[in-house]
Amino acid sequence: QVQLVESGGGLVQAGGSLKLSCTASGLPFGDLTMAWFRQAPGKEREVVSCISRSGANPYYPDSVTGRFTISRDNAKSTVYLQMNSLAPEDTAMYYCAAVKNLGPWCYRSQYEYDSWGQGTQVTVSS
């Protein structure tokens, strides 16, 4: 099992930026596929981005493409989510997720991930 600790959430005005961090422990970070999900009140959890163990070919849904960037630093066992041009509809609890996967892909479905962080709140005011 992997332990995940997120940080970096907060309150920001529309158009602003935030950078989320998630540090993992418990398994070799280089063996992990990582992802960010979010869940707004009354809505289902949705994927925001995922990244393979190598960092190649990250995935973004249309809702965040061009605004959010996922990256990872394997030496620091940390995955990041840079969020720019934030909008009120980005308001949600953001969760980091991980699963051991030695393949060169990442998963878009929350059901593929077996380790989750506690979440960090992102609130965007209009």
Side-chain angles (χ1 to χ4, degrees), residues 3-7 20-24 29 34-36 76-81 95-98 117:
Q3 292 76 48
L4 303 172
V5 179
E6 303 115 327
S7 61
L20 306 183
S21 300
C22 172
T23 299
F29 189 71
M34 304 296 297
W36 288 96
K76 295 183 177 180
S77 299
T78 300
V79 62
Y80 304 97
L81 185 68
Y95 297 91
C96 176

Side-chain angles (χ1 to χ4, degrees), residues 6-62:
E6 303 115 327
S7 61
L11 174 64
V12 63
Q13 289 187 333
S17 298
L18 282 174
K19 186 173 184 178
L20 306 183
S21 300
C22 172
T23 299
S25 61
L27 285 177
F29 189 71
D31 291 351
L32 301 176
T33 289
M34 304 296 297
W36 288 96
F37 290 80
R38 67 185 180 187
Q39 187 167 22
K43 295 188 176 181
E44 293 187 355
R45 188 171 296 187
E46 62 177 357
V47 66
V48 175
S49 185
C50 67
I51 189 167
S52 66
R53 57 194 292 255
S54 71
N57 300 319
Y59 166 76
Y60 305 96
D62 289 345

